[in-house]
Amino acid sequence: MGRDSGYKLLCSSRSRRRKGPPGLDWEISFHQILRRQKYQLIGGHSAVKKCRWLHESLTRNRPCYKEKFYGIESHRCIQMTPCLACDFRCLFCWRTHPEDLGLTGDDGMYGWDDPEFIVEESIRAQRRILSGYKSHVLKGLLEESKYLEALNPRHAAISLDGEPTLYPMLDDLIGEYSRRGFTTFLVTNGGNPKVLNGLGEEPTQLYLSIYAPDEDKFKALCRPLNREAWRKVEESLESLKNFKSPTVVRLTLVKGFNMDDPKRYARLLEGAEPTYVEAKAYMYVGYSRRRLGYGAMPSHDEVKGFAETLAGEMGYNIVASSEESRVVLLSRLKAPRRLR
Ligand code: SF4
């Protein structure tokens, strides 16, 4: 399917029925906002954005917790998505939802771009982002060797925005990155178990986000567009044990919403046997500040307290943590496996 093959990206029957306000071109408006937020848009539905930790790594030698845990070098990491649309509307999401802008529906006219094109353009976009750091090298603030390494990224975090499993050529996209020597992290909301189960090409590490211990809390917090979403998330959880690559269940903990019952999470995760559980605090950033209060962000100690109970219930160990990212890593392993 080529770049110009135009058909609508429709993630829900609701978006199929609704249209944007009269006279407003939905896609143009939404993309303008994303550009203002410094997204590098690629083709019709993909994007790259500079990760805060890429900047921190280049300017202050401070990598993200995934470098510390798994050896993924922040300065060589592309934060990207092959699909800007999402089938959830999570309250805690830092990204802009169409509804935040008074727009309805995700029905931009997209043609699905080829994986090769997306991968190639994501690397070019990353190099455009990095061009701004050349002056740091000239001023002696950044080692040239590190800058040159950064220009040759080795890792793709397929997690920036939207839901990657809505992109119909995800398999080939992962394969295309792998062929170029990249490691990949795929982060999914679990709403498309069929896509997960059908992946011929596994990512280096698979992340499944679990946002609530039961359906009621899930619906209140994630506002999925699909009525069957919870059942699908449960199905995705079940499929984790079929993966050869390490799997991570990521819990985004929102105070007052979803972190009062670690035992219930333990029961939910029982059969999934993830290699890791990342218990991570919701961060009061981006557009989420319009939907939640500051008090919804738990402290690192609160995340730790939650993680300790969960670890005890699951028979997992706490194997790493990062206070600045307010994340605690649980596993049956003694220490996280380095991927590079
Ligand atoms: S793994 Fe995620 S947080 Fe770390 S550098 Fe890459 S995009 Fe940023």
Side-chain angles (χ1 to χ4, degrees):
M1 214 172 301
R3 295 192 49 199
D4 300 323
S5 62
Y7 68 90
K8 287 188 175 189
L9 171 66
L10 298 168
C11 12
S12 73
S13 54
R14 190 199 310 185
S15 68
R16 206 170 278 137
R17 286 195 302 272
R18 290 185 178 182
K19 291 283 165 222
L24 181 61
D25 183 323
W26 186 93
E27 186 182 341
I28 290 174
S29 308
F30 195 50
H31 283 193
Q32 274 172 351
I33 299 279
L34 294 175
R35 275 199 197 91
R36 275 212 291 277
Q37 293 173 343
K38 303 218 163 56
Y39 280 69
Q40 301 268 333
L41 298 180
I42 295 171
H45 48 81
S46 308
V48 167
K49 191 171 190 281
K50 178 168 76 178
C51 169
R52 172 191 164 206
W53 294 106
L54 170 76
H55 176 79
E56 289 288 315
S57 174
L58 291 176
T59 58
R60 298 169 65 195
N61 267 327
R62 288 177 72 224
C64 83
Y65 73 87
K66 295 188 198 94
E67 179 166 331
K68 293 182 203 158
F69 291 2
Y70 312 116
I72 295 303
E73 295 169 299
S74 300
H75 68 293
R76 306 186 81 177
C77 173
I78 301 180
Q79 183 183 221
M80 67 84 64
T81 181
C83 182
L84 283 158
C86 188
D87 45 1
F88 291 7
R89 294 289 183 268
C90 301
L91 289 174
F92 54 80
C93 182
W94 58 270
R95 292 104 181 173
T96 315
H97 297 157
E99 290 81 359
D100 293 325
L101 308 172
L103 307 174
T104 51
D106 269 350
D107 38 3
M109 256 310 226
Y110 299 138
W112 293 117
D113 296 321
D114 290 327
E116 208 183 327
F117 167 81
I118 297 173
V119 170
E120 189 63 40
E121 288 302 311
S122 69
I123 296 170
R124 279 162 61 112
Q126 183 83 341
R127 289 183 179 148
R128 274 198 302 280
I129 289 167
L130 288 163
S131 63
Y133 290 89
K134 183 77 187 160
S135 60
H136 288 64
V137 178
L138 297 174
K139 287 179 198 154
L141 300 171
L142 168 61
E143 275 178 32
E144 186 170 25
S145 56
K146 186 164 185 179
Y147 179 67
L148 293 176
E149 273 182 5
L151 289 175
N152 286 297
R154 305 284 285 163
H155 179 74
I158 307 174
S159 69
L160 163 66
D161 204 336
E163 172 48 38
T165 57
L166 295 173
Y167 174 58
M169 288 169 275
L170 184 58
D171 231 354
D172 296 335
L173 184 88
I174 294 169
E176 191 59 38
Y177 276 123
S178 307
R179 266 189 292 287
R180 292 170 192 241
F182 277 60
T183 45
T184 49
F185 282 179
L186 172 66
V187 184
T188 175
N189 63 18
N192 296 291
K194 266 196 193 147
V195 174
L196 277 192
N197 284 319
L199 278 181
E201 189 85 40
E202 290 194 12
T204 314
Q205 187 152 291
L206 172 70
Y207 279 73
L208 170 59
S209 297
I210 296 293
Y211 297 128
D214 59 56
E215 185 167 11
D216 288 346
K217 284 202 172 92
F218 168 74
K219 280 186 173 161
L221 197 56
C222 298
R223 305 178 299 168
L225 301 182
N226 184 326
R227 254 186 262 135
E228 296 294 305
W230 178 250
R231 190 184 52 72
K232 288 175 185 243
V233 168
E234 287 183 315
E235 222 178 286
S236 293
L237 252 180
E238 269 168 40
S239 70
L240 283 194
K241 50 182 176 303
N242 302 329
F243 278 79
K244 290 187 205 75
S245 54
T247 55
V248 187
V249 166
R250 177 187 283 161
L251 309 176
T252 300
L253 301 173
V254 189
K255 210 168 148 182
F257 283 85
N258 68 354
M259 60 182 298
D260 57 345
D261 200 351
K263 289 183 185 168
R264 197 132 191 216
Y265 280 100
R267 285 202 295 279
L268 180 68
L269 304 186
E270 226 161 42
E273 297 170 22
T275 318
Y276 308 103
V277 178
E278 276 185 14
K280 189 169 183 336
Y282 150 69
M283 300 308 259
Y284 184 68
V285 293
Y287 260 75
S288 75
R289 288 172 298 179
R290 299 184 182 206
R291 310 182 201 108
L292 292 170
Y294 185 79
M297 181 167 64
S299 68
H300 184 63
D301 280 347
E302 286 167 328
V303 173
K304 231 171 117 196
F306 174 95
E308 280 164 1
T309 311
L310 181 62
E313 290 291 322
M314 292 181 70
Y316 278 41
N317 309 306
I318 292 187
V319 292
S321 75
S322 164
E323 190 160 355
E324 60 198 347
S325 298
R326 301 187 190 192
V327 59
V328 178
L329 188 69
L330 281 60
S331 180
R332 285 207 175 107
L333 302 174
K334 287 208 176 82
R337 213 181 295 157
R338 307 287 287 180
L339 298 169
R340 284 228 182 248

